[in-house]
Every structure is written in C-alpha cells, then in structure tokens.
Amino acid sequence: MNSSLASVTPIPARPADDGRLEQWRTFLAGKIDPSWREDEWDGTSWLFTGDLDNPRTAAYRCRTPECLSVLPSPHSRCQFCREALRDSGLNEAEFEASYRRDPQRYLVYTRPSQCIAGIKGDRCRRSAASRGLCRSHHARWHRVFRRDGLANTDEQLVEWAAGVPGLDPAPSCIVGGCPLDGVVSSGLCGTHYERWKKAMSQSPQPVPAETWALTAVPYLTGAQFSLAGLRPVVRLEMLLGLQQRDAIAGRVVPRVMRSLATRLTGFASLILGTTEADVMQAIEGQTNGLYFCGQTLHYLRVAFDEFNGIDPTQRPVWDVAALGIAAATN
C-alpha cells in the first residue's frame, strides 16, 4: 500500500438527473455539522461573518486605527491608507495618530444609524435612510414643511423630529443576512428592490421577490461571504469542504470564498454531471481558490464513495486521510 496521500478514483462526468441530485443533496445535508462555527456561520441565511479575533479566520483589521477595512492578511494597511500615508509625508507613528479615513469618500460599509425622530424615551427604532430620518419619518417631514410653510433646514428638521412619536422596528429585508429595513411592499430594502427590478428587466419571465430573495446576497464586508447565490447542492458541497478543512486546522478565507461563490454559480453540483476540469476552469487564475477546490473535490469524492456504498479499503489505492491512517514517515 502506498503510504502517501492518494486521491480516490475520479468521478466521470455524466448527466445528473433531478432524482439522483436530490438524493445526493439529502446525503450531504446529513454530513453537515449544524453547530459548525456558531459565532460566525448563519446556516439559515448561508452567511459567514468572520470573527476578526479568530486566528482560524483570515480576516484582519487594517493596521491604521479606526479604519473600517478588513484585509485577508494581518499587520497590513488597505490600499487607501497606504496611499494616504505615502501622500501625507508623515512617518507611520505620526500618520496613525492623526489620520481618520472618511467612510463616505471610500465607500466603507457601515450599518445605517438609528432614525433620530422620537420624543424623549420613545426613539424611533427604524434605520435612518435620509438626513437622519427613516423613510417613513422623512416622507412625513416633507408633507409637514410644505403644509406648514417651514424652512427645509437641518435645524427645523431636528426640532420637528424631537417632537414626533417614534415608530416600531420595520421588518428586515427578506434577503438573508441583509440588515436593512424592508421598506416596500415586496419586503425588500431599497437596494435589493432596485436589484430585483433590474434582474426582472433581464429575465424572460417574472420571478416573485420572495423567490428571487432566496439566492440574493446582502452587502458583504471583507469578513463575510455568502453561499446563498449558489445552487442548493453546491452550497452543501462547499460547506462540507469548509468543515472538512476546518477539521484539519485549515483557515477560512472570506475573500477567497467570495470569489468562488461568484464563479461557481452556474454549477448544479461539483460532482454530478461535471468534471474536475470544468470546476477548475471556472476558477482559473484564483490560486488560493484552486487549492481550496482541489481539497474540496477530494473530500467530495470520498463522500461520493460512501454515498454509493463503496468501501474505501476496496480501492486499488487507499486514501489514508479518509481512512484515518497516519502516513508513514522516514
């Protein structure tokens, strides 16, 4: 027996009928650990939000104090901070003590603030959308200042807002993981509503907002990735790969996963009805992604053997990792 790590027999490509695909999906679902990384993984919305203090997650704060960027490598600066340091003429210590990055200028995502409307003790519990007001209070303010002849200034707006009742929280956007308020009849936030309308303008047939939302993804920070946009079986295949790698101390790299989740959207499965070459071609040029997918395909072939009732010890070449056998060392 060869003591080095060997691959199981590759799976030949063949059309995957819906029944077999569903059987494979059910089998994979039974292999998934539902308690995996409970502080980071939301299995309901298929959203991973990395803990920046977890050494097993490759997501790190920019070394510039108060910068909100998240990077895939530690002790480094984001591009904007590097450029600002270069242009400042300051040394690093002086720069870090004085520089404040403007999130609006550089499009750094921050969660919307709370609406400022509400009598003391009855603050509005909805997200601010415009000029510090939620959409409902902003629309109400427009009616008030026009009706009563008020000046549409920030001072008048703030004074008016302090004397009106707050509102209860609005339902969240129906896109999994989206923190914004659902503000239209479709249940989508304003951003996802515009994306849905654009998608519908390019679709040969209408898709209800509720159906479209199932595969839509929220805005993702540098510490996040979403598998929601993948087909149901591929979601589970990728998640199994993540969990198997995690078991051997492999780090989760959100940036790599975001790229893979975009490139693999056309696959119904990474095993059934396709070949390893097809998968690798789809992610060509993504070095870390190729490595992750290579490992994931290996784990999936092992699982596929189990799915088909194949005893791994009956293979001409044994997969020592799958069998839990330590490789011999000299």
Side-chain angles (χ1 to χ4, degrees), residues 3-6 248 298-299 302 318-327:
S3 62
S4 63
L5 178 64
I248 58 170
H298 172 80
Y299 298 134
V302 172
W318 287 14
D319 185 329
V320 295
L323 294 172
I325 301 173

Side-chain angles (χ1 to χ4, degrees), residues 1 7 33 116 142 178 184 208 237 240 299 304:
M1 181 184 71
S7 173
D33 177 5
I116 64 172
H142 267 265
C178 180
V184 292
E237 290 172 337
L240 181 66
Y299 298 134
F304 198 72

Side-chain angles (χ1 to χ4, degrees), residues 98-113:
S98 61
Y99 179 66
R100 298 293 180 269
R101 179 172 165 179
D102 180 357
Q104 294 299 320
R105 179 181 177 190
Y106 296 118
L107 302 179
V108 177
Y109 176 78
T110 55
R111 187 184 178 104
S113 58

Side-chain angles (χ1 to χ4, degrees), residues 24-46:
W24 175 231
R25 187 201 66 79
T26 301
F27 175 83
L28 287 171
K31 302 283 289 183
I32 297 300
D33 177 5
S35 61
W36 178 70
R37 294 217 187 189
E38 291 178 307
D39 293 338
E40 297 179 296
W41 174 248
D42 180 354
T44 302
S45 59
W46 298 92

Side-chain angles (χ1 to χ4, degrees), residues 183-262:
V183 294
V184 292
S185 58
S186 64
L188 299 167
C189 67
T191 298
H192 281 113
Y193 181 71
E194 292 302 320
R195 292 180 184 177
W196 173 57
K197 287 203 304 182
K198 181 177 180 180
M200 292 308 93
S201 69
Q202 301 170 349
S203 175
Q205 57 185 11
V207 177
E210 295 83 356
T211 302
W212 177 85
L214 293 175
T215 54
V217 300
Y219 181 94
L220 299 173
T221 70
Q224 293 179 309
F225 67 84
S226 171
L227 300 183
L230 297 171
R231 305 278 284 277
V233 171
V234 181
R235 290 176 182 175
L236 290 169
E237 290 172 337
M238 294 289 282
L239 184 55
L240 181 66
L242 283 163
Q243 293 188 358
Q244 293 286 337
R245 288 187 77 250
D246 216 25
I248 58 170
R251 291 188 305 166
V252 175
V253 187
R255 184 176 71 171
V256 171
M257 296 306 301
R258 287 196 301 276
S259 175
L260 292 179
T262 299

Side-chain angles (χ1 to χ4, degrees), residues 113-117 128-134 157:
S113 58
Q114 187 177 352
C115 177
I116 64 172
S130 181
R131 298 179 69 186
L133 298 174
C134 66
L157 181 150

